[in-house]
Amino acid sequence: MTIREAKEIYLKSDCSYFVMCSNHYSDYIEYRKLEIPKKQETEWKNEKIQMLYTEIRRTGNPLLFQRLCEIAVEFRDYEKLLIVMYALKSIKGPLTEKQRIAISEVILGKRSLKVRSGLIYWAYDNGQRGISTLLMDLVLEYLNIPNIINIELERKQQKLRRICKRMIRELNLNFSKQYLQHYYQF
């Protein structure tokens, strides 16, 4: 495997060893033998972030947003946070219930609150309390889905609402009255 091939497989796997190993095991073995320096992989991650961001701006695809966040969150810096925020604004609607819940989950974080994953913690930990508040406002709006028919989606919605309440208390986030009305209807 050449360096060029290694880059292709790394980018194709969204810069994830797990995805590479799961989907392209033999390539994963060859890739790991090359012992690519972390600095090189960081450059490739930056390229992939830019590629996904450009594609989101072009298409508005919410699935690409999830992939972008999974790569960018590793950096946890202000520059990547802004890229993610601009990508979020580029998502085109109308979104399905499933998409609204999936984006909310990405913003809140898919892991335990103790891990502080997700965009809200990322912004808050970078001293961007205003961005944290804006993101929570957006999540509350996305989760304001009356009369969900799908039971699984309704359960996820309820779980995410409980997470919102805990995060709001923990981070002491302040909200506009409009979104508080949605929040207290739960």
Side-chain angles (χ1 to χ4, degrees), residues 53 56-57 65 81-91:
Y53 172 64
I56 291 167
R57 289 193 59 210
F65 176 74
L81 179 62
L82 287 180
I83 291 171
V84 169
M85 291 295 294
Y86 289 131
L88 184 58
K89 287 178 92 174
S90 299
I91 293 175

Side-chain angles (χ1 to χ4, degrees), residues 2 5 10 23 26 33-34 94 112 114 134 150 153 157 169-171 176 179:
T2 66
E5 292 169 332
Y10 189 70
N23 298 337
S26 60
K33 285 180 185 175
L34 290 176
S112 164
K114 294 176 186 174
L134 289 172
N150 183 316
L153 287 180
Q157 177 193 36
R169 277 193 307 268
E170 177 190 342
L171 302 178
S176 66
Y179 291 109

Side-chain angles (χ1 to χ4, degrees), residues 78-102:
Y78 182 69
E79 177 188 329
K80 300 296 182 294
L81 179 62
L82 287 180
I83 291 171
V84 169
M85 291 295 294
Y86 289 131
L88 184 58
K89 287 178 92 174
S90 299
I91 293 175
K92 294 185 178 139
L95 299 174
T96 66
E97 294 171 347
K98 186 175 182 177
Q99 289 171 328
R100 290 170 67 127
I101 288 173

Side-chain angles (χ1 to χ4, degrees), residues 10 15 38-50 68-81 83-84 122 126:
Y10 189 70
C15 308
K38 289 291 179 197
K39 184 177 180 181
Q40 181 63 62
E41 288 182 342
T42 299
E43 287 179 27
W44 292 346
K45 283 179 186 178
N46 281 316
E47 285 181 39
K48 185 66 175 187
I49 288 169
Q50 288 302 318
L68 171 68
C69 288
E70 288 173 8
I71 299 168
V73 76
E74 291 180 32
F75 291 93
R76 295 189 69 88
D77 64 11
Y78 182 69
E79 177 188 329
K80 300 296 182 294
L81 179 62
I83 291 171
V84 169
W122 177 5
N126 273 286

Side-chain angles (χ1 to χ4, degrees), residues 108-146:
L108 292 171
K110 293 184 178 185
R111 297 191 226 151
S112 164
L113 291 179
K114 294 176 186 174
V115 178
R116 296 179 73 85
S117 69
L119 302 181
I120 293 174
Y121 279 124
W122 177 5
Y124 190 86
D125 292 344
N126 273 286
Q128 301 301 318
R129 187 180 175 127
I131 293 176
S132 295
T133 303
L134 289 172
L135 288 167
M136 184 60 80
D137 274 350
L138 183 61
V139 169
L140 293 173
E141 186 64 33
Y142 278 172
L143 292 177
N144 185 27
I145 310 168

